[in-house]
Amino acid sequence: MAKSNAVPLLKRILDIAGSLVALLILTGPLLIITILIRLEFGRPVIFKQLRPGKNGKTFLLNKFRTMREWRDNNGLLLPDKYRLTALGKTLRKWSLDELPELWNVIKGDMSLVGPRPLLLEYLNRYTPEQARRHEVKPGITGWAQVNGRNAITWEEKFNLDVWYVGHLSFWLDLKIITMTIWKIVKREGINQPGQATMEKFQGTGEM
């Protein structure tokens, strides 16, 4: 019991310490990115969206904007590939658009490591096994992100998320953080082949 209680405590310490150190080190880049986005898109600089967290409880996710709000004649947003700018592609290539999520980690909505927080509309599309990804806090990076990220299928991604939930440990988190840094440097798995961003999850039966 003591061991199981220690894991969440160590994980929270890692989350707070890691986020604060990252924000301190990245103060300069964060300021530069903010200015570039302000010049490119105007306001707001931060994209906010409700996402499901632990046990499906919603929270407001923070990310840097990477796409324009361009719409068609019916007022519907154009596909991502038309709205994603060169600046946005660069931010995504180096995962810099995720940096504002460090504030979500400090607040306790997220963890540095965990299954990625996906869209609310996916909640009723998960199988009971896939839904286990919500037994822990979502993360900025995770086991699926260092094992293919957006270059793997949704089913593979969810299998990796559930594996992480079943093998959660402080040392596994440290391993994933180390692997994440290496993946960012190599720029692997940013998008699905032929896609500007990951295609929407329609349910396991339709994959």
Side-chain angles (χ1 to χ4, degrees), residues 25-38:
I25 294 174
L26 297 170
T27 297
L30 285 168
L31 179 59
I32 293 172
I33 293 170
T34 298
I35 293 172
L36 291 175
I37 293 176
R38 181 71 174 84

Side-chain angles (χ1 to χ4, degrees), residues 27-88:
T27 297
L30 285 168
L31 179 59
I32 293 172
I33 293 170
T34 298
I35 293 172
L36 291 175
I37 293 176
R38 181 71 174 84
L39 294 173
E40 175 94 6
F41 301 111
R43 294 179 178 177
V45 170
I46 301 296
F47 170 77
K48 296 177 179 287
Q49 188 178 56
L50 283 175
R51 297 287 178 94
K54 185 177 180 180
N55 299 322
K57 181 180 178 181
T58 59
F59 69 97
L60 205 57
L61 178 78
N62 299 301
K63 295 180 71 172
F64 278 129
R65 284 182 65 186
T66 57
M67 293 190 287
R68 298 187 184 278
E69 291 294 310
W70 286 350
R71 300 175 182 270
D72 61 21
N73 293 333
N74 297 316
L76 300 175
L77 286 172
L78 294 175
D80 291 351
K81 64 180 180 179
Y82 298 115
R83 298 188 296 119
L84 186 61
T85 67
L87 173 62

Side-chain angles (χ1 to χ4, degrees), residues 156-190:
E156 291 169 327
K157 183 177 294 189
F158 294 147
N159 287 340
L160 291 166
D161 286 341
V162 173
W163 184 91
Y164 171 80
V165 171
H167 295 80
L168 180 66
S169 74
F170 175 75
W171 298 110
L172 178 58
D173 277 14
L174 286 180
K175 177 181 178 179
I176 292 172
I177 290 172
T178 302
M179 291 177 68
T180 298
I181 296 172
W182 177 243
K183 292 287 184 178
I184 290 173
V185 171
K186 294 180 67 179
R187 303 196 298 276
E188 290 183 347
I190 304 300

Side-chain angles (χ1 to χ4, degrees), residues 95-154:
S95 299
L96 297 173
D97 61 315
E98 311 283 357
L99 291 179
E101 292 172 28
L102 291 168
W103 292 112
N104 288 115
V105 175
I106 292 174
K107 288 173 58 182
D109 297 324
M110 294 177 62
S111 177
L112 289 176
V113 179
R116 285 294 299 160
L118 302 176
L119 300 177
L120 285 174
E121 63 190 79
Y122 295 172
L123 284 177
N124 62 359
R125 301 176 188 174
Y126 298 134
T127 66
E129 181 69 6
Q130 291 169 346
R132 291 191 58 211
R133 67 193 308 278
H134 291 291
E135 292 178 9
V136 298
K137 289 181 182 179
I140 294 179
T141 186
W143 191 234
Q145 278 60 53
V146 297
N147 284 283
R149 197 176 174 182
N150 290 341
I152 59 177
T153 67
W154 281 113

